[in-house]
Amino acid sequence: MDERLAKARSLAAEGMQALQRADGMAALQAFSRAIDMGWPGADVWIARSFAHSLLGDMEARLGALEKALEVDPASVRARLHYGQALVGAGRQEEAEPHFLEGLEGARALEHRNAEIEQLIRAASDFVGMASEPDPHPVDEFARAHGVGDDPEDDLFQQSLDLLAGRALSYVSRPTRYLYPGLPSRQFYRPEDFDWTSALAAKTPEIRAELDELLARQSLEASAFAPYVEKAGREGAGVSHPLLDNPDWSAFYLIKQGERVEENIALCPRTMAAIDAIGDDAAPAPALSVLFSRLEAGARIPPHHGMLNTRLICHLPVILPGQCALRVGNETRAWKDGEVFIFDDTIEHEAWNESDEPRYVLIFEIWRPELSARQRHLVSELFKLGGLARR
């Protein structure tokens, strides 16, 4: 191997290490340099697509996978990843032929690693092909032991679905800050938090304030602004399909730790309901509280949140139907009076297939696994220069 290819190989290894740290920008830079120096094959382009995914750039993710298929049209791995990326971009009809081609190619593979097996199962599920034609032994186990009869069985049932190949394993991949050792748990049970019932009971009051706000909007300039703004933390340095797009917009009561007093004055009962939660609803580096609007027919593409020391909370306020949120391998439709609590550093997406906008109250809380000291240290860390910006 000549010196140039040796350097390219070293850069590719650096990129993989950056992916493991969930450092999308470092990974992208390393893979790009490796490609420029001649590192061959489709796999480096697939790895580059993962870096784009960490950065929330789904169009670039697709472009990298298209390049991988240009380099090696027979790559089963690239073909199946491309199908998944198309599904994530809302292009399901285009995804099916790529899944079928990838599944056909997979039949000729002599060796299948865990990643390929997961890709095959996901592709088979999408095209309606049974990856497990016979009942799996865990299904009989579940029936015999009454798995699912108790709300606490949720995570155990997920473990059975993983064993049976009906679900993929998704892990936390924060784009900015990773606190090691925290669990990769998609949804948390609202009943495990002592404030959720009181908040849900306030939904009619919160709905009334939102209705008044929307009626006021019809007479004035829109108070909702695009959630992903070029000048904001979500849009900084990222090519995002919804950048400055009003299809996904927000009305902030608190924005990145700054109270928006004129908005709070319009929604005092909503703000009081959040304040009543207490210190749990004040995670570092800075709290945001907002009404999130997703327009009719809009879709938020798969992406990862920035830090895993917090959880995201949704209180549905106006639900037109046909709206859902996918976190990892679990998809849930919002329901009136049901608080969603989830880890946004696990790949997630949302959609509104109705004819009316969907409104959800969003705020953040500390991860319950963090002690008071751990919360303090994380809070102090984000006061350092260069880290204060979210």
Side-chain angles (χ1 to χ4, degrees), residues 105-186:
R107 294 191 180 97
L109 294 178
E110 294 184 8
H111 303 287
R112 300 177 179 178
N113 60 23
E115 178 192 14
I116 292 294
E117 290 288 359
Q118 287 186 343
L119 289 168
I120 290 171
R121 287 194 292 266
S124 297
D125 290 344
F126 182 85
V127 299
M129 299 168 59
S131 57
E132 293 285 352
D134 300 318
H136 197 279
V138 300
D139 296 330
E140 180 57 36
F141 174 91
R143 284 191 292 271
H145 291 81
V147 176
D149 295 342
D150 191 302
E152 292 187 1
D153 294 348
D154 176 45
L155 294 180
F156 185 73
Q157 179 61 61
Q158 287 186 36
S159 77
L160 299 185
D161 291 338
L162 289 167
L163 277 174
R166 291 189 292 261
L168 299 180
S169 177
Y170 286 84
V171 297
S172 172
R173 296 175 67 183
T175 60
R176 183 179 174 211
Y177 176 72
L178 172 67
Y179 194 108
L182 295 177
S184 290
R185 181 171 181 177
Q186 296 166 173

